[in-house]
Amino acid sequence: TGGNVSMQEYMDTEPEFRSILLNIVFNGTNVSLVTGSVTLNTAELSYSPSGLRWFRMREAARGAPFNYPTADQSRPVDEILLSCASCDDNENPCSFGGKCLDDSTCACVNGGSGALCKVPPTGDGRCNPYFNNEVYGWDGGDCCGGTCRKPECGLGGLSVPFGIESYYEQDASTDVLSVLGYGSCKDPSMAPLTLELKDFDVFNKTEWYSILGNEDGDPFCSTAAINVRCNGVTYLYFPQYILNNESDCGRSFTETIHVPFGSQCELSTNIPCFGPYCLNHTISVYYGDDTSSPPIRSGNIGDESRLSFGVPSECLTDVLRNYSSSIFDLSTHQGQAASSLSNDGISEFLCSEGPNLVLERYALTVLNASVHFKSSNWEPYQCHGWGIPAVNTACTNFSVTSLVLEPDAGFQLGTIPTELFLLSNLQELVLRSNNFTSTIPTEIGLLTSLESLELWENGLSGTIPSEIGMSRLSALALASNKLTGTIPTELGLLSSLSGIFFDENLLTGPIPSELGALPLASFSMTVNNFSGTIPTELGATSLQTLMLYANPNLSGTLPTELGNLQYLLNLAIAGTNVTGPIPSELGLLSSSLLTLELWSNQLSGTIPRELSSLTELRILALSLNNLTGTIPTELGLLSNNLNGTYLHDNNLTGEIPSELGLLSASLQVLDISNNNLDNEIPSELLSLELAFCSLANNSFSGGTAPENCIT
């Protein structure tokens, strides 16, 4: 086709043999081929060379008696097949539905042409339904944008755009050919997108009807002119249509287009205006051939004249759209991540092998976009780190098990993406001190393998999600944030939880008694607004640290069950509204307790003598209460380790026990000011080498205070 063919017979060395030479001139290029030798009695040779095999020509040997072409048997050209140009319905039918006429020529239909109609009209820029199938490459690409290669591509490709049958053309030159689209595109390698127009403003300014040529004065609405381009190619152009049937203004209209996977697209509109009045409507873009799923982008044409979106690669789209519709929105971290991965051959390979690893890769890429790293730090493999020391990952069998963002790494303000739950094998997540300002995603409860969660020293707000109770946490650190609400009782389901750190938040409500069923070693909830009483159930745990200071609304009494905490090292319940006596049962903690801080409460009664059994005690702080009675002489038995004694601002009476002088080996701070102590200051105190001492605002009758002691 498109060339000139000449054939010439040459005599072989023997009269009964012949060869046939074929010269093909195509686009200025001459190609010469020759058949092997054929016998004269070959019936077909008398009128047609069909069915023969062709070869490249061998050069004639020098000095040969005859100068004739011979076939080079080592270089066959099997792509050349000649057929008879005369049609026959049985032996040599016309192609593509053509009809064989009486003169043995073909009357071609369906766009076929050439001898026997064998030349399909594929690739001519016009979509031909007969060839719009996989066999013919979807009409050589003519039926889809991006694969069509002619100037006329897409013209007239939508017979009834958006299904709008009744309209008025504001521009009289507008006709169906001004609409550009590919309504017949069926190529499965293209991504289907459905556009929806609805919520039309209705024009009813009667004084403008005659100016606009609407003599009937009927209300109407109008579509915007719409243009969809992806990677520089137009896939839909739709001019402004005025809907002259008022009932249509309350309808929605849809049109499905097809764009290549891996595209970056923009939908632009021109808002229709009539005089000083402009008519709005919404336009939404959906992935798929209907509007059943949430839109990937949506907006009012009066507010957003351009909507940008991306379509990830086919594999990534199939995998990721089950988790987020935001993968199409290039203004989101999810869309940016999906677009980045679509151009990453590694991610495409992982996607084709199975979804799990590419889902993890996607989650890390979203996190990368969320925290706005100041330097380029992404490496191809998630298990090899992110290129800077501030980000560390650990993996088992190529799956991420640990993700640590080092504190104060210079990250800008960001959010904790919900996509982290895709790290299905994650055991450790540390995002401390990194300026996160979002809420804690409820999806974090889906990390069923998570054992350690550290989110402290950020700007997190909102509540603690109850879904956390579905994980395997052993350590939960949420301190120094702006969390509000109550502690979910579901935390009591964390049967492995040994450490809770909720300090310096805005948490309220009671401390759940369910936490007493956990194997807790550390329980720290200082500087909050908890109310209610201290759960007695905490006495059944294995606590080593119990910190509840600066909770002014915490009330009730100190549970005697605290004396059962045989492993307790540090007890701080201060700055609360707790009342009642100090339980003598605290003396049972003799083998472990290092600090006892019960200052600034509403405690009353006397100082239990049983506290003298706390031989490992370093700090005794009972100040700023309503304690009465005398200072127990037995406190002098704490001679080996006691470093600070704070009993100031109470209602203690009597004299200072001389036994306190026995603490000379360890005591550094003694503050018993602002009480009602009397009698003389015992001389035994002079042996103390104190860093700070205050005996002020008492009623001593004499005696000498230790050096540097305020009296």
Side-chain angles (χ1 to χ4, degrees):
T1 302
N4 298 314
V5 179
S6 64
M7 287 183 288
Q8 187 175 0
E9 299 180 10
Y10 282 83
M11 292 294 295
D12 205 341
T13 52
E14 299 295 334
E16 62 270 22
F17 290 91
R18 293 172 181 256
S19 291
I20 296 178
L21 175 66
L22 174 65
N23 287 314
I24 302 176
V25 181
F26 185 77
N27 292 337
T29 300
N30 189 305
V31 179
S32 295
L33 304 174
V34 66
T35 67
S37 298
V38 294
T39 60
L40 279 173
N41 59 7
T42 302
E44 291 83 357
L45 189 58
S46 61
Y47 61 89
S48 171
S50 63
L52 299 181
R53 193 177 186 192
W54 298 88
F55 300 87
R56 296 284 185 180
M57 290 173 51
R58 187 193 305 275
E59 293 184 7
R62 291 186 179 181
F66 300 100
N67 185 17
Y68 59 88
T70 59
D72 186 347
Q73 301 287 335
S74 67
R75 295 193 297 166
V77 184
D78 292 331
E79 294 83 1
I80 298 295
L81 180 63
L82 299 182
S83 60
C84 180
S86 298
C87 63
D88 180 275
D89 286 336
N90 296 318
E91 300 295 333
N92 208 27
C94 303
S95 300
F96 310 134
K99 181 180 180 182
C100 187
L101 303 177
D102 293 339
D103 60 358
S104 298
T105 61
C106 289
C108 299
V109 295
N110 296 318
S113 62
L116 300 179
C117 308
K118 284 186 176 293
V119 181
T122 55
D124 63 354
R126 296 281 186 175
C127 181
N128 190 315
Y130 187 90
F131 297 94
N132 189 16
N133 53 60
E134 186 175 9
V135 174
Y136 296 101
W138 314 104
D139 195 22
D142 290 340
C143 296
C144 297
T147 57
C148 191
R149 297 288 183 255
K150 298 293 183 179
E152 58 270 31
C153 290
L155 295 177
L158 294 175
S159 58
V160 186
F162 287 91
I164 300 176
E165 297 181 346
S166 177
Y167 62 91
Y168 166 74
E169 303 161 3
Q170 185 178 15
D171 183 352
S173 65
T174 299
D175 57 29
V176 73
L177 290 180
S178 66
V179 178
L180 188 151
Y182 299 87
S184 299
C185 182
K186 299 189 295 184
D187 188 345
S189 67
M190 307 286 278
L193 300 175
T194 297
L195 279 59
E196 181 183 37
L197 314 179
K198 64 179 181 179
D199 301 329
F200 293 92
D201 285 348
V202 177
F203 188 92
N204 54 11
K205 305 297 181 182
T206 56
E207 67 273 18
W208 280 85
Y209 284 170
S210 59
I211 299 175
L212 298 174
N214 186 354
E215 301 297 341
D216 295 334
D218 294 327
F220 64 90
C221 55
S222 177
T223 71
I226 300 168
N227 190 8
V228 179
R229 290 176 62 83
C230 300
N231 298 341
V233 176
T234 299
Y235 288 83
L236 173 70
Y237 175 74
F238 177 64
Q240 177 183 339
Y241 277 8
I242 297 176
L243 307 183
N244 52 17
N245 187 338
E246 185 181 2
S247 63
D248 286 343
C249 297
R251 291 180 50 199
S252 64
F253 300 91
T254 61
E255 182 67 48
T256 298
I257 65 175
H258 294 79
V259 304
F261 286 100
S263 297
Q264 293 193 10
C265 304
E266 182 179 81
L267 185 154
S268 59
T269 60
N270 288 326
I271 185 170
C273 294
F274 304 91
Y277 303 104
C278 295
L279 300 182
N280 286 332
H281 64 77
T282 60
I283 184 167
S284 302
V285 183
Y286 300 82
Y287 178 79
D289 54 9
D290 57 36
T291 60
S292 59
S293 58
I296 62 177
R297 287 305 307 270
S298 184
N300 188 300
I301 62 171
D303 300 327
E304 298 186 65
S305 60
R306 297 180 184 273
L307 294 177
S308 296
F309 58 92
V311 182
S313 68
E314 184 172 8
C315 184
L316 286 172
T317 298
D318 288 343
V319 171
L320 299 181
R321 71 188 181 94
N322 295 321
Y323 300 96
S324 173
S325 61
S326 297
I327 63 170
F328 302 96
D329 188 348
L330 295 176
S331 67
T332 66
H333 301 141
Q334 292 79 6
Q336 295 161 16
S339 178
S340 173
L341 295 180
S342 293
N343 298 311
D344 181 350
I346 296 171
S347 297
E348 278 296 290
F349 171 76
L350 294 176
C351 188
S352 63
E353 291 296 304
N356 291 340
L357 290 181
V358 78
L359 285 174
E360 291 195 0
R361 190 168 176 77
Y362 167 68
L364 294 178
T365 310
V366 173
L367 178 61
N368 181 54
S370 298
V371 298
H372 306 296
F373 291 149
K374 295 180 181 178
S375 60
S376 177
N377 47 42
W378 174 255
E379 285 191 355
Y381 300 97
Q382 61 259 47
C383 297
H384 291 177
W386 279 3
I388 57 174
V391 184
N392 300 296
T393 56
C395 292
T396 300
N397 295 327
F398 301 101
S399 184
V400 178
T401 56
S402 173
L403 176 61
V404 179
L405 271 63
E406 293 300 326
D408 303 316
F411 305 134
Q412 300 175 20
L413 293 177
T415 59
I416 299 177
T418 60
E419 285 74 13
L420 285 181
F421 82 91
L422 297 174
L423 303 175
S424 57
N425 294 310
L426 194 65
Q427 299 173 14
E428 179 186 36
L429 178 60
V430 179
L431 306 178
R432 63 178 182 269
S433 304
N434 274 301
N435 297 321
F436 286 106
T437 57
S438 62
T439 59
I440 301 174
T442 58
E443 290 85 353
I444 209 159
L446 300 176
L447 296 174
T448 55
S449 298
L450 195 63
E451 297 176 1
S452 178
L453 177 61
E454 297 186 30
L455 304 178
W456 44 278
E457 288 190 355
N458 285 290
L460 298 173
S461 59
T463 60
I464 300 172
S466 59
E467 288 82 358
I468 287 182
M470 300 171 62
S471 61
R472 296 166 50 187
L473 284 174
S474 60
L476 179 57
L478 307 178
S480 301
N481 283 289
K482 300 175 183 178
L483 299 173
T484 57
T486 60
I487 298 176
T489 58
E490 287 82 357
L491 295 188
L493 301 174
L494 298 171
S495 59
S496 299
L497 191 62
S498 61
I500 297 179
F501 306 91
F502 291 173
D503 311 83
E504 298 181 18
N505 279 288
L506 302 171
L507 298 171
T508 57
I511 298 173
S513 60
E514 289 83 354
L515 301 182
L518 303 177
L520 291 172
S522 297
F523 189 90
S524 188
M525 298 189 178
T526 64
V527 195
N528 278 285
N529 292 310
F530 291 117
S531 58
T533 62
I534 300 171
T536 59
E537 289 82 359
L538 293 178
T541 64
S542 301
L543 280 173
Q544 298 178 19
T545 298
L546 176 56
M547 312 287 279
L548 289 174
Y549 63 81
N551 280 284
N553 295 318
L554 205 58
S555 59
T557 60
L558 294 174
T560 59
E561 289 81 359
L562 297 181
N564 298 328
L565 298 172
Q566 55 180 322
Y567 303 108
L568 193 64
L569 301 175
N570 302 287
L571 175 60
I573 301 175
T576 74
N577 198 34
V578 171
T579 60
I582 299 173
S584 60
E585 288 82 356
L586 296 182
L588 300 175
L589 306 176
S590 58
S591 62
S592 61
L593 198 64
L594 301 178
T595 62
L596 178 59
E597 299 186 48
L598 301 177
W599 47 270
S600 192
N601 291 296
Q602 302 296 324
L603 298 175
S604 58
T606 61
I607 300 174
R609 299 181 182 276
E610 289 81 358
L611 299 185
S612 62
S613 300
L614 304 176
T615 55
E616 300 296 324
L617 199 65
R618 269 69 167 171
I619 300 294
L620 176 62
L622 307 178
S623 55
L624 297 164
N625 279 290
N626 298 313
L627 298 175
T628 57
T630 60
I631 299 174
T633 59
E634 290 83 355
L635 294 186
L637 300 177
L638 303 175
S639 58
N640 292 328
N641 299 300
L642 192 63
N643 183 267
T645 300
Y646 305 85
L647 303 177
H648 60 86
D649 291 279
N650 278 290
N651 296 313
L652 298 174
T653 58
E655 61 183 11
I656 300 175
S658 60
E659 288 81 359
L660 294 185
L662 300 175
L663 303 176
S664 59
S666 60
L667 195 64
Q668 297 292 309
V669 177
L670 175 62
D671 190 349
I672 53 177
S673 61
N674 300 315
N675 278 286
N676 296 313
L677 300 173
D678 54 19
N679 214 332
E680 293 188 355
I681 300 172
S683 60
E684 288 83 356
L685 296 189
L686 296 175
S687 63
L688 300 176
E689 297 180 2
L690 299 170
F692 177 83
C693 173
S694 180
L695 307 179
N697 297 321
N698 281 287
S699 302
F700 299 116
S701 59
T704 303
E707 186 177 357
N708 300 324
C709 193
I710 301 171
T711 58

